[in-house]
Amino acid sequence: MRNLLFLIAAALGALLPSCTPANRVVENPLIETANTRTLDIVKVELSDTATVLHMNAYYRPKNWIVISSDSYLQIPARRFMLTGAEGITPDSLFWMPKSGRASFVLRFPPLPRGTKSFDFIESDCDDCFKIYGVDLTGKTEYPEYPEGLPKELRKAPKDGPVPDPILAVGETTVNIHLLGFREGMFREISLYVNSLLNGQKSYDSEITSDGVATFKFEQYGTVSAFLARIGIVFGQFWIAPGETIDVYADLQEAGKAIVQRRNNEQPKRAPLYSTGTYGALNTLFNGSETKTIALDTHTGEFADYRMTADEYVQMVASKYKLLADSIARSGMSSMMTELSLLSLQQEEKEIGQHDPYTENRRRPGEYYHIGQQPNQNFRPRVKRQARDLPCAHWASPAFTKCLRMSFIPSRAPRMEPTRILRTMTPNTGQVNRPS
């Protein structure tokens, strides 16, 4: 009897996919991950004759994008090539309107009944648009932790004071684990390291088929770093010299960002998990949903140039106090509260010490390499003993703690704080195609 019931259940399970309605519409499907934020699939029409994708495109006004005629939908072991388009001509330049937003339709052959998800692959070139895991089952939430994250990192990090910087020399190894990586998503990834002595240096690494990239470099002192590829920044983290650390980046956050945009939600800081001396700091910083509280002196609207010196000083003091109170009441963890106050103090100390080159702000249509500002002098100075030494164009927040303390006075006198740049915009314009 039990065997008979088992056989009946198995038969019903096999029949269920074929019972899926032939004609149905999936609105705002969840997206697992993507190598771009330019495109979104907002509706999928499924029938026995076609699969129709309703696409939204977001890009700079009066710039172009292209959809290849070699685009296809992918499910395990099968491809479904593009058969038609409405509102866009494949292989031709599509110029974005003034709004920076456009819509069009792409048509493909019908997917098999019971298909739970598919990938949209706009040809196989390295910088072609790729959207993975477009859900057809009606999911509305993402899992709490990404698949592949070690169990020891699936817990709240230990809170406490901001860790002190470490002034030492050593060879550092950073193993990047791209959770949710798909082969063909992209080949390389870059690590940008900001150090006290050398400014910013970039390192490139190929990505293995299982989504791992390894970086090795000589390091002096604690550094801040961020992981990026053209158009996407995966997170900022801090590294102690001479360590071997594992950093886990959740690529599912790229899909989340696309979905959040549909509801006009501001993109949240992507979680990032790491081992090492600054593991708790890295996880807390990247997992914080609290908006950065800062003076934002580089917005162009910070102050009125007609103010007198006394009015300007009073305005800065009032803003500083207001923001410091906001940080205290924000409900952030102790470590993030201290980090925010250190960053705010650093901004306040920098006022009046502007490098004139920083006033040459980015003009419309001009895009530069990630982490850099146009026409900017990247080598402000810190004074040490009787001579000037070049310093990083910004220091990590962990270093601000060091820079404000007179520890070991005979060997490390107090230094002026260096600039934190809050206006970095990833480069998406110096390539032939948008990302």
Side-chain angles (χ1 to χ4, degrees):
M1 186 65 179
R2 289 182 179 178
N3 290 338
L4 179 60
L5 292 174
F6 176 79
L7 290 173
I8 293 173
L12 289 173
L15 288 172
L16 282 177
S18 62
C19 295
T20 303
N23 299 301
R24 62 192 181 101
V25 175
V26 180
E27 301 269 5
N28 294 318
L30 255 63
I31 293 172
E32 185 177 325
T33 188
N35 74 340
T36 179
R37 295 178 188 172
T38 298
L39 296 185
D40 185 12
I41 300 172
V42 295
K43 184 166 71 172
V44 182
E45 296 180 16
L46 301 166
S47 72
D48 284 338
T49 58
T51 302
V52 181
L53 306 189
H54 294 256
M55 314 283 292
N56 282 349
Y58 304 84
Y59 199 53
R60 295 193 301 274
K62 299 182 180 181
N63 281 258
W64 57 264
I65 63 172
V66 169
I67 296 295
S68 171
S69 60
D70 294 327
S71 299
Y72 60 89
L73 304 186
Q74 178 176 266
I75 61 174
R78 295 188 65 180
R79 292 184 177 185
F80 302 83
M81 302 304 297
L82 180 69
T83 59
E86 299 173 14
I88 192 170
T89 302
D91 297 329
S92 297
L93 301 186
F94 179 86
W95 293 91
M96 296 297 293
K98 292 181 179 179
S99 64
R101 175 176 174 173
S103 299
F104 53 86
V105 172
L106 301 179
R107 295 182 176 275
F108 300 85
L111 294 173
R113 290 195 191 184
T115 299
K116 295 182 178 180
S117 67
F118 65 87
D119 304 331
F120 168 77
I121 309 296
E122 191 248 337
S123 189
D124 293 322
C125 65
D126 290 343
D127 58 352
C128 288
F129 300 128
K130 298 180 176 72
I131 302 175
Y132 299 93
V134 181
D135 179 68
L136 299 176
T137 65
K139 290 181 181 178
T140 58
E141 294 183 356
Y142 292 91
E144 182 179 4
Y145 292 105
E147 184 178 351
L149 182 67
K151 289 184 178 179
E152 58 270 22
L153 295 179
R154 298 189 181 201
K155 59 182 180 181
K158 185 178 180 181
D159 196 8
V162 174
D164 289 328
I166 298 172
L167 299 183
V169 179
E171 183 182 64
T172 298
T173 301
V174 181
N175 299 311
I176 303 296
H177 302 262
L178 301 174
L179 304 180
F181 178 79
R182 304 288 191 90
E183 191 168 4
M185 195 172 186
F186 35 80
R187 295 183 180 182
E188 291 187 343
I189 199 162
S190 299
L191 183 70
Y192 293 82
V193 178
N194 303 296
S195 68
L196 184 64
L197 295 182
N198 299 321
Q200 184 180 93
K201 285 191 174 182
S202 64
Y203 304 89
D204 298 325
S205 174
E206 290 190 358
I207 304 170
T208 63
S209 59
D210 56 350
V212 177
T214 299
F215 300 88
K216 291 186 178 181
F217 50 89
E218 288 293 327
Q219 178 180 334
Y220 172 74
T222 298
V223 299
S224 68
F226 61 92
L227 188 67
R229 69 174 299 275
I230 293 175
I232 302 176
V233 178
F234 295 102
Q236 180 180 353
F237 54 97
W238 289 268
I239 312 170
E243 280 192 322
T244 296
I245 68 169
D246 291 284
V247 177
Y248 298 84
D250 183 8
L251 299 188
Q252 197 168 244
E253 293 300 317
K256 286 183 183 179
I258 294 172
V259 172
Q260 288 166 356
R261 181 173 54 194
R262 297 171 185 167
N263 300 321
N264 296 318
E265 296 180 30
Q266 291 296 322
K268 298 177 181 178
R269 187 177 290 155
L272 184 147
Y273 312 87
S274 82
T275 61
T277 300
Y278 300 106
L281 172 65
N282 295 335
T283 302
L284 283 170
F285 176 79
N286 289 283
S288 174
E289 295 186 1
T290 305
K291 184 179 179 180
T292 302
I293 301 174
L295 287 169
D296 290 333
T297 57
H298 300 302
T299 62
E301 300 177 354
F302 177 68
D304 189 333
Y305 72 94
R306 291 166 293 191
M307 285 181 175
T308 65
D310 289 340
E311 289 172 338
Y312 183 75
V313 169
Q314 182 59 41
M315 181 274 296
V316 172
S318 297
K319 281 192 174 182
Y320 177 87
K321 184 179 185 306
L322 180 63
L323 293 174
D325 290 342
S326 297
I327 291 172
R329 298 193 306 269
S330 66
M332 290 188 287
S333 64
S334 298
M335 193 179 297
M336 289 301 98
T337 298
E338 182 184 355
L339 186 66
S340 298
L341 286 172
L342 286 170
S343 297
L344 184 64
Q345 291 169 13
Q346 184 162 330
E347 276 194 303
E348 185 268 337
K349 293 295 183 183
E350 290 163 5
I351 292 176
Q353 301 177 15
H354 286 303
D355 186 330
Y357 287 99
T358 62
E359 304 307 322
N360 296 325
R361 307 307 302 157
R362 178 172 296 164
R363 295 183 293 274
E366 293 185 334
Y367 290 79
Y368 295 81
H369 197 274
I370 190 163
Q372 295 182 356
Q373 298 296 313
N375 305 320
Q376 183 170 339
N377 180 355
F378 287 111
R379 306 194 72 81
R381 304 277 182 165
V382 293
K383 292 183 178 180
R384 184 179 180 189
Q385 297 179 359
R387 60 190 179 92
D388 286 347
L389 294 175
C391 183
H393 64 271
W394 82 54
S396 69
F399 260 118
T400 64
K401 192 171 184 178
C402 163
L403 296 175
R404 297 188 184 287
M405 295 187 303
S406 295
F407 67 100
I408 319 179
S410 61
R411 300 181 61 186
R414 186 184 303 274
M415 297 179 285
E416 296 173 10
T418 54
R419 178 166 295 124
I420 294 180
L421 299 179
R422 297 187 180 278
T423 53
M424 295 187 304
T425 302
N427 169 24
T428 60
Q430 294 297 333
V431 291
N432 293 330
R433 302 171 51 84
S435 289

